[in-house]
Amino acid sequence: MPTRPTPTERQKRLGAELRRMRLAADRTTEYAAGLLGLDRTKVSNMESGVRATSPERIRILASNYDCADEAYVDALVALADVRKRGWWQQYRGVLPQGLLDVAELEWFASRLRSYQTVHIPGLLQLGEYARAIFAAALPPLPKSEVELRVVQRLRRQQVLDRDQPVEYVAYVHEWALRMQFGGHRVAREQLLHLCEASERENVELRVLPVEAGAFPGAGHAVLYAEGAVPLLDTVHLDSAHGGEFTYSEAQLTKYRTHMDWWHAHTLKPQDSRDLIHAVARQL
């Protein structure tokens, strides 16, 4: 018997929201199953993201759960639109699912914010710089996978260049500017590219100088993706063992506070570019 494919983070999120909406209405899975003409197991699978659902069923559930937030319901319907299969799907089965989920998260976000303490943000990386990062992984990745990861990372950057580019605010610690992935030449070219990219209307780049001292989220790389409505915001935490997606109200509040702190303590865009140029000249 064929197994179902592992649900994407987008599918898991839709299921989690349907469950949250049901619990807020104090309804049981049996009640939901009765509304949809399904058995309880299928509703449970739907709420875990394993089983797809239709826009019609989402609206039936929202109506009977007394959810009056039309914008939120419309956003859930958009999450269920299976026609929105993006370019990242071609990497399914050949790259870790988490890399695809990040690309999908970025593509459908209404706004992106991130902070990086060691690397230049992936959406602003050059190919050689990205290759040096992936080549440093332990245990070593096969060369073929390194190249696939580089290509996939560069393709993610089209969210900044498409007809309706996403707004992106990138906070970068000064030490990330000084890390010489790929050597002096690659690091210098990366910094110059970073300055050029920061001139785009939809990109705001701000650097946290070392003189700022301690900062929240030290050691982490964090991406905050704003959804169609605030309830659908998502945080992606990057680490050596893989990425983690979180969207509980407490975690969203925490990382919004982090982003606000970084915005208040980083240099303004032009001052940030001046510092980047200064570091590049030292290389």
Side-chain angles (χ1 to χ4, degrees), residues 120-136:
I120 301 302
L123 289 179
L124 303 176
Q125 289 178 9
L126 289 173
E128 286 189 274
Y129 182 92
R131 185 173 293 108
I133 292 175
F134 292 130

Side-chain angles (χ1 to χ4, degrees), residues 133-146 149:
I133 292 175
F134 292 130
L138 289 176
L141 297 170
K143 289 185 177 179
S144 59
E145 183 170 342
V146 169
R149 289 184 179 223

Side-chain angles (χ1 to χ4, degrees), residues 29-30 32-43 46 51-53 57:
T29 51
E30 289 81 3
L35 289 174
L36 302 179
L38 301 173
D39 61 49
R40 182 178 181 277
T41 300
K42 290 180 179 179
V43 171
M46 190 172 67
R51 181 184 178 86
T53 189
R57 283 177 170 172

Side-chain angles (χ1 to χ4, degrees), residues 198-209:
S198 71
E199 297 282 0
R200 300 177 185 176
E201 290 185 3
N202 60 309
V203 175
E204 181 177 351
L205 176 67
R206 303 172 71 104
V207 175
L208 183 70

